Amino acid sequence: MPDAHFYSYDDFDRRLVAERVEQFRDQVRRRLAGELTEDQFKPLRLTNGLYLQLHAYMLRIAIPYGTLSSRQLRKLAEISRKYDRGYGHFTTRQNLQLHWIKLEQAPDAIAALAEVDMHSIQTSGNCVRNTTADHFAGAAADEIEDPRVWCEIVRQWSTLHPEFSFLPRKFKIAITGSPNDRAAVRVHDIGLRLWRNDRGEVGFEVIVGGGLGRTPMIGKTLREFLPKDEMLAYLEAALRVYNRYGRRDNLFKARIKILVHEIGVEKMREEVEAEYESMKDSALKLSPDTIEAIAQHFAPPPLRPKRTLVPEVEALKLEDRNFALWLKSNVAPHRVAGHAIVTASLKPAGAPPGDASAAQMEGVADIADAYSYSEIRVSHEQNLVLPHVAVEDLPAVYRALDKLGFAEANIGKITDIIACPGLDYCALANARSIPVAQRISNHFAALARQHDIGDLKIKISGCINACGHHHVGHIGILGVDKNGVELYQISLGGDVDFGHTALGTILGPAVPAEKVVEAVDALVTTYLEARAEGERFVDTYRRIGAQPFKDRVYATV
Amino acid sequence: MAKNLSGDLQVASANRLADGMVVFLDAAGQWTERLDRADIARNKQVADILLERARAESFTVVDPFLVAVIEDEEGRIEPLSLREKIRASGLTFAAIAAEAVRYA
């Protein structure tokens, strides 16, 4: 049965994935039989998203542009229960990681994914990774166009693209269709932002060379306005330039951001435009029929405008303070009157950010079936989204999410923390992330206080690779290892909001693990004392600078 | 206070090929999940030999390597680095169970 309202595999997709499953099954058999060495096998398993981490194999499953059907989410729950330890970790790239996969069962897990049109191809390696999107796509009140149509076109183009399977380094693309950037497009290798020009035409701003990691950079505008039908040819031109000139001699200087930094965006533009000139009228130019054929898959569900003021909702607001707070923080405006977008918080107090048990995944799938046209989205902030909920159903959705532990009214608040898996799982990490997030979460658990503090994004990474996006946290926390001791470097002022995208500035010397909560508390206290009317934490920081925060933190810790 | 991670005592560790679990080489040349059964090399020369033995027994494991450990007065050993402590002991927080709907 096809999944409604977004792309379903055709025969070509199914055959491709089925063939890959059988190839991988044979590769695993040969490895277990000793016919392949680890050196021979490693690139093959990584091509299928299977990493070997500290304790076990980890399978990274692609969730294209963060969109899932209830059927797919149930299957992910089933796979996690059958082949893993019954839970999964939703990541900052809108994917799902299962951290306890057995190699001998990995082909069966991947075959189970294929049953619901999913795979783990290109979730590792120096190729184009899963294209991410605004998690409110297709539903947001502020949206110009659904970016997932373009994500799907990129997915089809980039899957096993022979020319771009061995790029200098991995390549991440994000697309947003709204002026309020919820996809962090300025910190991706290429970010595409749909906007409408003075003539009323919708096209892309093409942003290149953003990224986090050890050398964080904010992307630069490569093309101010690109007609939509030219997107694929232009991407091909940009990737071709990167493939040709990107550095292969130094792993740490291989990302496109370094190329753009070294040659300058003007030279990069010149090269891309020259390359583009030779292919702009090629088969990569998207015909209206092609675009329409993909767009049809993303036809919105048949929502009819409904009443926006619902007495039951208003009554419950007065009766249940947590519900009232939840409406404020976890419910966003929908494009259709009488509907709303609900974010299920995967950050209940003290929980590992982004983790969900199999039972919770099934519970969210049930809620999506009952109230959100069977659709779920994964946000890069590690939450799940129900994109199409009628306002009149909000009390029922709130109660159902509360039963799952996912109704914490904390979206955008201090406990809605992004955290990478850190040293508890990851072979690259230097320090733990999750236990730090848990301690902060427990310390600030009181919802009234969180709402008083207001919007404040804490982002934690366990190493310089920055999977926890610490560079763009209002408060960024980076774990470092100093002679075997975990220390945490704090930065302030990072932001991914459009027009305000900024990298955080390091506050001062790193603090010991046991002092991180006190340091964050000191930052919050400084803000609360200094804030002007209506200022968020990051606004106050921009106005008063780092010094008052620094003074308080280092007097405290 | 920072610890000396150079450690004179070492054990050989790896991840088991079939399931990725952390294993240690015992004195009989078998891979075990129990750190307390690991064969301990007490000087560099023996450590080099231990690593060679581990590599020779690596058909069922991935990429053996040496782990610096310390030993207390009762003979209990523990890795020196936090990373290896976590490898040997598991997660430092309680993961949510498959059927749990609330994080405890």
Side-chain angles (χ1 to χ4, degrees), chain A residues 309-345:
Chain A
L309 206 61
V310 178
E312 297 90 318
V313 174
E314 298 307 309
L316 190 59
K317 261 164 77 175
L318 297 173
E319 192 182 302
D320 183 340
R321 175 140 175 79
N322 285 352
F323 176 70
L325 293 174
W326 181 80
L327 286 178
K328 277 187 186 169
S329 56
N330 295 38
V331 178
H334 196 283
R335 60 165 60 166
V336 179
H339 292 80
I341 305 167
V342 170
T343 300
S345 170

Side-chain angles (χ1 to χ4, degrees), chain A residues 57 81 357 402 404 424 438, chain B residues 17 20 92 99-103:
Chain A
Y57 293 95
R81 189 180 273 124
S357 70
D402 190 43
L404 296 177
D424 277 289
Q438 290 176 299
Chain B
L17 175 64
T92 62
E99 303 313 319
V101 292
R102 284 187 186 276
Y103 185 74

Side-chain angles (χ1 to χ4, degrees), chain A residues 441-493:
Chain A
S441 173
N442 281 323
H443 182 79
F444 290 99
L447 285 177
R449 187 174 181 217
Q450 290 192 54
H451 280 255
D452 177 41
I453 294 166
D455 289 354
L456 203 176
K457 293 180 188 292
I458 296 184
K459 306 189 181 196
I460 307 174
S461 303
C463 79
I464 196 66
N465 291 306
C467 294
H469 295 186
H470 65 279
H471 296 297
V472 287
H474 297 165
I475 299 175
I477 300 176
L478 166 66
V480 296
D481 172 356
K482 193 165 184 186
N483 299 324
V485 176
E486 290 171 300
L487 296 176
Y488 292 85
Q489 198 176 71
I490 295 171
S491 55
L492 297 183

Side-chain angles (χ1 to χ4, degrees), chain A residues 393-412:
Chain A
D393 291 331
L394 287 173
V397 169
Y398 172 72
R399 290 188 191 103
L401 287 173
D402 190 43
K403 281 185 186 163
L404 296 177
F406 284 169
E408 196 86 353
N410 65 348
I411 298 304

Side-chain angles (χ1 to χ4, degrees), chain B residues 29-55:
Chain B
Q30 301 294 312
W31 291 99
T32 171
E33 290 181 37
R34 293 182 54 172
L35 174 62
D36 61 350
R37 292 191 178 166
D39 194 17
I40 305 171
R42 295 180 182 278
N43 61 52
K44 184 175 183 317
Q45 192 181 7
V46 179
D48 290 344
I49 295 167
L50 179 64
L51 185 57
E52 281 307 308
R53 278 177 49 215
R55 286 176 176 153

Side-chain angles (χ1 to χ4, degrees), chain A residues 11-67:
Chain A
D11 289 344
F12 178 87
D13 296 311
R14 288 206 181 85
R15 195 166 57 247
L16 185 152
V17 172
E19 285 172 1
R20 177 57 80 89
V21 170
E22 289 317 306
Q23 283 170 3
F24 188 56
R25 195 181 291 286
D26 187 54
Q27 289 157 356
V28 170
R29 182 195 61 73
R30 286 153 64 203
R31 174 68 183 114
L32 290 169
E35 294 168 20
L36 292 176
T37 66
E38 186 60 17
D39 285 346
Q40 291 167 325
F41 180 66
K42 187 176 177 180
L44 300 174
R45 68 169 160 76
L46 287 175
T47 300
N48 291 286
L50 191 67
Y51 291 70
L52 181 54
Q53 298 203 304
L54 287 194
H55 314 279
Y57 293 95
M58 177 272 281
L59 182 64
R60 182 177 291 153
I61 297 164
I63 299 175
Y65 29 91
T67 295

Side-chain angles (χ1 to χ4, degrees), chain B residues 5 7 10 12 15 28 33 49 85 94:
Chain B
L5 296 184
Q10 310 217 53
N15 289 81
E33 290 181 37
I49 295 167
K85 280 180 189 159

